[in-house]
């Protein structure tokens, strides 16, 4: 009998979350380009960008803290310092949340720079930012749901 590797369902879930986020984000775009600055006033996106980055930093901080706490506590549980294999899925989801969050932050900054240099904010670029932002949030939520289920059964 062939067994899937530990955490495989976490990787599949993370990929599905990203795919669903992309389809939802891209299908909602109706215009050829989008203005990052509200009402077309130059520089008004900067405070919004700071809020988006702060939210991403907050989620990444909770994710990484959780990963460190869970993995670090494995030394206290015996089993030669290893966690049971069932924790691979939530840990991978939290890890994907971190990766997606960092990519989200990079996309936001890159899109802002592109617009400042006169390049249009295309639907694909807009959807990509939304995809990684909501992908990070989705993996964060799914990872914690998996953790709650594991710890309470």
């Amino acid at each position: 009998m062939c067994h899937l590797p530990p955490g495989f369902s976490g990787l599949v879930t993370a990929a599905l979350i990203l795919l669903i986020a992309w389809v939802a984000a891209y299908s909602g775009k109706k215009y050829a380009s989008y203005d990052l600055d509200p009402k077309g006033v130059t520089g008004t996106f900067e405070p919004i960008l700071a809020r988006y980055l702060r939210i991403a930093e907050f989620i990444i901080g909770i994710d990484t803290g959780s990963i460190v706490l869970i993995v670090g506590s494995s030394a206290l549980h015996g089993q030669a310092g290893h966690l049971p294999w069932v924790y691979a899925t939530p840990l991978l989801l939290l890890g994907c949340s971190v990766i997606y969050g960092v990519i989200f932050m990079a996309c936001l900054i890159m899109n802002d720079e592109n617009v400042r240099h006169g390049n249009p904010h295309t639907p694909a670029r807009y959807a990509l930012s939304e995809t990684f932002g909501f992908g990070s949030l989705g993996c964060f939520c799914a990872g914690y749901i998996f953790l709650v289920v594991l710890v309470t059964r």
Side-chain angles (χ1 to χ4, degrees):
M1 178 186 253
C2 179
H3 292 282
L4 297 173
F8 180 77
S9 58
L11 292 176
V12 170
T13 303
L16 283 174
I17 287 171
L18 207 61
L19 178 65
I20 291 167
W22 170 258
V23 169
Y26 193 72
S27 65
K29 303 296 175 262
K30 300 175 185 173
Y31 304 106
S33 67
Y34 291 85
D35 193 354
L36 283 179
D37 293 316
K39 299 181 183 177
V41 179
T42 304
T44 52
F45 181 66
E46 191 131 355
I48 298 168
L49 175 64
R51 285 194 300 254
Y52 286 156
L53 294 176
R54 184 67 191 122
I55 290 168
E57 289 169 356
F58 180 75
I59 291 173
I60 290 168
I62 293 173
D63 283 334
T64 55
S66 299
I67 291 168
V68 168
L69 184 65
I70 293 166
V71 172
S73 71
S74 68
L76 305 175
H77 293 320
Q79 298 184 15
H82 295 282
L83 283 172
W85 66 270
V86 295
Y87 286 96
T89 289
L91 285 171
L92 282 168
L93 282 166
L94 293 174
C96 285
S97 176
V98 170
I99 293 166
Y100 294 169
V102 170
I103 295 171
F104 167 69
M105 293 166 65
C107 283
L108 282 176
I109 293 168
M110 182 183 69
N111 288 335
D112 185 45
E113 287 295 319
N114 277 326
V115 168
R116 290 180 189 273
H117 291 288
N119 299 315
H121 189 50
T122 65
R125 287 182 181 161
Y126 192 176
L128 196 62
S129 294
E130 290 179 326
T131 297
F132 282 109
F134 286 110
S136 178
L137 182 60
C139 285
F140 171 78
C141 293
Y144 269 96
I145 289 169
F146 269 98
L147 272 175
V148 168
V149 168
L150 285 175
V151 211
T152 58
R153 59 181 178 124

